[in-house]
């Protein structure tokens, strides 16, 4: 059986990771990227894949949200600027995001593998990732690309609520908490992410179309792209993902 306890702190803040990972005998170690529009459900799938197949979820958005909880005097100028881009729904400059990934080689070396969620988002970031992995003598196994019609994406995003304390993710209709606006896991207050407001959603979708959607071709040309329909329940989508991975040589 695969058993994992990932050290998320090492991803959020850098430093030495202390992940406890035992993969089932004969299980593959997956090193993958999750692609897809904002709100398509990448984070939801990342959690399921990480729990069941072992790779560590490495979300660049989570690093920025963790930085938001720091005292402003503890943030580097680049991180403070990144939070302003994020609030508006714009992409953070490539060099800031690439620097964050480059500074965390221990997370990329995780014995359970990794799932990059939200990185790369531009062709320049994808080229940088190739070079970072080359230095570590690693290669990607697959790039999972989740597709969903835009009206369903907007409804997933606008109904999302996030726990202000433990960051657990809910949805007002598809995954409501037991008590309205209260986190089932820690009792924290559920909030609407700043970038889930309509003006920021529009900017994020435009950035996705312009900068991130060309990555599908980039990875298709390298034989890594695995397209997955993101309709249905999280469990249905996970089953499609696992089947698509099992079918790869
Ligand atoms: P990031 O945190 O990466 O956000 P995102 O890509 O916009 O993705 P989301 O977290 O919004 O959505 P998701 O696809 O994970 O969906 P989720 O599973 O939560 O980035 C945020 C910002 O950081 C960027 O805008 C940018 O500013 C900056 N940034 C980060 N990385 C960067 C980079 N590499 N370069 C430059 N800038 C960068 O699901 C959404 C909702 O739907 C939830 O409520 C969930 O419960 C619900 N849901 C999920 N699956 C289903 C389902 N199957 N059925 C019904 N409901 C579902």
């Amino acid at each position: 059986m695969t058993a994992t306890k990932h050290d998320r702190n090492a991803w959020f803040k850098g430093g030495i990771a202390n992940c406890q990972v035992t993969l089932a005998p004969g299980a593959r170690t997956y090193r993958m990227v999750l692609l897809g529009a904002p709100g398509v459900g990448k984070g939801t799938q990342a959690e399921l894949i990480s729990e069941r197949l072992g790779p560590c979820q490495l979300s660049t958005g989570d690093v920025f949200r963790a930085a938001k909880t720091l005292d402003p005097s503890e943030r580097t100028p680049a991180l403070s600027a990144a939070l302003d881009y994020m609030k508006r729904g714009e992409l953070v400059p490539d060099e800031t995001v690439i620097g964050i990934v480059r500074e965390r080689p221990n997370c990329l070396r995780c014995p359970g593998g990794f799932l990059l969620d939200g990185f790369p988002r531009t062709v320049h970031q994808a080229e940088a990732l190739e070079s970072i992995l080359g230095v570590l003598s690693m290669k990607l196994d697959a790039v999972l690309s989740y597709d969903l019609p835009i009206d369903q994406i907007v409804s997933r995003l606008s109904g999302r609520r996030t726990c202000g304390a433990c960051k657990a993710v809910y949805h007002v209709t598809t995954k409501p908490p037991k008590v309205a606006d209260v986190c089932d896991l820690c009792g924290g207050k559920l909030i609407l992410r700043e970038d889930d407001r309509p003006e920021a959603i529009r900017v994020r979708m435009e950035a996705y179309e312009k900068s991130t959607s060309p990555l599908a071709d980039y990875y298709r040309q390298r034989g890594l792209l695995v397209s997955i329909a993101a309709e249905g329940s999280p469990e249905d989508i996970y089953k499609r993902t696992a089947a698509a991975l099992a079918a790869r040589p």
Side-chain angles (χ1 to χ4, degrees):
M1 210 184 98
T2 294
T4 53
K5 194 166 176 289
H6 291 297
D7 177 9
R8 308 272 292 144
N9 253 344
W11 177 248
F12 294 149
K13 296 182 183 159
I16 303 294
N18 189 20
C19 290
Q20 314 285 320
V21 182
T22 316
L23 295 185
R28 289 182 60 174
T29 306
Y30 287 106
R31 297 188 177 94
M32 302 192 285
V33 164
L34 299 189
L35 269 190
V40 74
K42 300 182 295 298
T44 303
Q45 289 306 309
E47 236 176 83
L48 294 175
I49 298 169
S50 178
E51 243 173 58
R52 298 174 192 186
L53 300 179
C56 197
Q57 179 192 2
L58 307 179
S59 154
T60 37
D62 282 349
V63 174
F64 297 130
R65 282 183 284 279
K68 226 168 126 180
T69 62
L70 295 174
D71 187 86
S73 64
E74 292 177 80
R75 294 180 203 145
T76 62
L79 261 183
S80 299
L83 297 184
D84 286 335
Y85 284 101
M86 191 172 170
K87 187 172 169 182
R88 293 192 295 268
E90 292 169 23
L91 291 186
V92 171
D94 280 346
E95 294 318 317
T96 305
V97 193
I98 292 167
I100 281 172
V101 177
R102 203 188 291 284
E103 283 162 9
R104 290 163 170 76
N106 281 305
C107 294
L108 296 170
R109 284 199 201 98
C110 183
F114 62 75
L115 265 182
L116 280 165
D117 168 6
F119 179 89
R121 256 177 158 97
T122 64
V123 170
H124 181 54
Q125 291 181 18
E127 289 166 348
L129 175 62
E130 217 166 294
S131 127
I132 294 169
L133 293 180
V135 170
L136 300 172
S137 305
M138 282 176 184
K139 278 190 174 157
L140 289 175
D141 297 299
V143 173
L144 305 176
S145 174
Y146 291 97
D147 304 314
L148 191 70
I150 184 85
D151 55 325
Q152 290 186 51
I153 290 181
V154 172
S155 123
R156 283 187 188 175
L157 270 181
S158 49
R160 171 166 55 192
R161 297 292 180 274
T162 307
C163 174
C166 75
K167 314 297 171 206
V169 175
Y170 297 83
H171 189 278
V172 289
T173 52
T174 62
K175 194 185 170 194
K178 291 188 188 112
V179 176
D181 299 326
V182 178
C183 178
D184 293 348
L185 302 179
C186 76
K189 188 173 160 33
L190 301 188
I191 51 170
L192 181 69
R193 250 168 62 173
E194 263 176 337
D195 59 348
D196 281 348
R197 298 180 194 284
E199 329 74 79
I201 290 180
R202 191 178 46 75
V203 177
R204 285 161 72 195
M205 289 300 174
E206 283 168 8
Y208 174 76
E209 280 308 320
K210 182 168 163 245
S211 306
T212 311
S213 61
L215 283 181
D217 273 343
Y218 179 91
Y219 284 121
R220 190 178 292 113
Q221 283 161 14
R222 284 157 178 74
L224 288 169
L225 194 78
V226 179
S227 296
I228 297 164
E231 270 146 338
S233 69
E235 193 58 39
D236 292 338
I237 302 161
Y238 172 75
K239 283 186 185 144
R240 264 175 236 142
T241 305
L245 286 176
R248 280 178 71 78

